[in-house]
Amino acid sequence: MLTVIIDPADKAGITAWKTRGADLRDYLGGEGRS
């Protein structure tokens, strides 16, 4: 699982990292899904 930060103006990737910890737990637990 990767967290990616993009520039909303042109959708260019700015940075990315391996997701872990609270962010990964939130995603796997369904937090923020619509």
Side-chain angles (χ1 to χ4, degrees):
M1 186 74 56
L2 291 176
T3 298
V4 179
I5 304 299
I6 64 166
D7 180 349
D10 62 5
K11 308 294 190 252
I14 295 174
T15 190
W17 61 88
K18 183 177 179 183
T19 306
R20 60 179 198 209
D23 291 333
L24 182 57
R25 282 191 302 274
D26 288 347
Y27 177 79
L28 293 175
E31 294 291 320
R33 291 187 184 178
S34 52

